[in-house]
């Protein structure tokens, strides 16, 4: 007797690229990410029992989850992201039916494009469709962020889950992480394109450096007598920064300047001032490299070559750092030529990339029609 039910559909859940505003989200600051046109496709089929079975084209053993028990953190494999999301729905008292989910991906795992947020938000979207109801606006990213905190042990901010859940085609998202207010900023696809360059260096935010940055920011804010670094004005900063020990001063200096850069970047995009937007990306990268210390040699080399190339307005590392991808803002009219030129320059300089692709802002996670 088959255990499969009759409901069948597919969810598309994108990866994300952050254009600017790095390590600002957990400081209640501003970010400007996009959902991209690469991600995860999750083919869903309901089951007649209360089991969830997940499979992935990336290999790894299938994951089995029993919905009749109260789910708790502790799982070591990739199933923990889904389990954390399902636990969130259990807490809300939703009656979740069993289901099978077959995941196929065109997003590098651990490559800094938020494959984990794509999985969390994708599973949450599947649960909503199976249950025939939706979480209130804005609650889905929070539920998924909590899954990442509690079940994956990564104390991430809210950016990735918001970008994946709420992206809009053709627009970047200016997100105030304090209020979670969102403004969609049109990004003219006929003028500029976005190029993702994968350094091939796998990052592991779980390894403690990410959490350490978070603590250093909290300590800097406390020493400045403010609840968060978002509350430190330019005036406060100029007056009080010398009270901070050198490490906290560099970390906080990055966050405070980066918040200002996000707003300036959004304004430049709205005015079509691409050289200015590119310049801000360069400043952001330098600050992440020198003051926040989350870049790596490979990303620095990629950004240095890209930033100098004709047709590139600017380039910076994107995401948590310690590897992963760089993002370049390129002239749409010469985008393909820019890709060829960069490949040549990088290979001449002995700089390796695990791949590059042009992308554009795409819609957030949704059931495919
Ligand atoms: C990771 C986290 C995000 C954010 C970025 C850095 O991607 O998941 O919340 O903090 O790093 O901007």
């Amino acid at each position: 007797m088959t255990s499969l039910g009759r409901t069948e559909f597919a969810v598309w859940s994108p990866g994300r690229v952050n254009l600017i505003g790095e390590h600002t989200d957990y400081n209640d600051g501003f970010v400007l990410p996009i959902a991209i046109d690469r991600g995860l496709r999750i083919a869903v089929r309901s089951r007649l029992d209360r089991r969830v079975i997940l499979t992935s084209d990336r290999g790894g053993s299938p994951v089995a989850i029993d919905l009749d028990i109260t789910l708790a953190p502790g799982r070591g494999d990739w199933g923990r992201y889904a389990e954390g999301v399902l636990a969130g729905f259990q807490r809300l008292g939703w009656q979740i039916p069993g289901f099978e989910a077959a995941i196929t991906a065109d997003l590098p795992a651990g490559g800094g494009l938020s494959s984990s947020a794509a999985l969390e938000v994708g599973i949450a979207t599947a649960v909503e469709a199976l249950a025939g109801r939706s979480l209130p606006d804005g609650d889905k990213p929070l539920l998924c962020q909590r899954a990442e905190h509690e079940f994956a042990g990564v104390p991430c901010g809210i950016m990735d889950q918001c970008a994946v859940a709420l992206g809009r085609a053709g627009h970047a998202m200016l997100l105030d992480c304090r209020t979670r207010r969102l403004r969609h900023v049109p990004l003219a696809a006929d003028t500029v394109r976005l190029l993702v360059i994968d350094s091939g260096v796998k990052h592991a935010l779980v390894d403690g450096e990410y959490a350490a940055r978070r603590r250093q920011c909290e300590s800097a804010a406390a020493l400045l007598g403010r609840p968060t670094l978002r509350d430190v004005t330019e005036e406060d900063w100029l007056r009080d920064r010398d009270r901070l020990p050198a490490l906290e001063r560099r970390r906080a200096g990055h966050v405070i300047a980066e918040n200002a850069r996000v707003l300036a970047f959004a304004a430049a995009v709205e005015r079509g001032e691409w050289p200015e937007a590119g310049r801000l990306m360069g400043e952001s990268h330098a600050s992440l490299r020198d003051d926040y210390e989350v870049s790596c040699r490979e990303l620095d080399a990629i950004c240095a070559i890209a930033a100098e190339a004709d047709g590139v307005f600017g380039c910076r590392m994107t995401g948590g750092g310690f590897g992963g991808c760089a993002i370049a803002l390129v002239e749409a009219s010469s985008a393909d030529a820019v890709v060829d030129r960069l490949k040549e320059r990088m290979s001449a300089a002995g700089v390796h990339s695990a791949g590059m692709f042009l992308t554009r802002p795409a819609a957030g996670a949704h059931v495919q029609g």
Side-chain angles (χ1 to χ4, degrees), residues 48-60:
L48 300 171
D49 58 16
R50 303 262 304 143
R51 281 159 60 79
V52 174
I53 309 286
L54 309 173
T55 54
S56 160
D57 68 342
R58 295 233 174 94

Side-chain angles (χ1 to χ4, degrees), residues 16 18 21-26 114 154 156-161 205 210 319-320:
R16 71 94 187 87
N18 187 20
E22 221 64 85
H23 290 273
T24 45
D25 60 352
Y26 52 82
S114 280
V154 180
C156 63
I158 194 64
M159 169 172 74
D160 302 347
Q161 290 78 9
L205 296 182
Y210 184 88

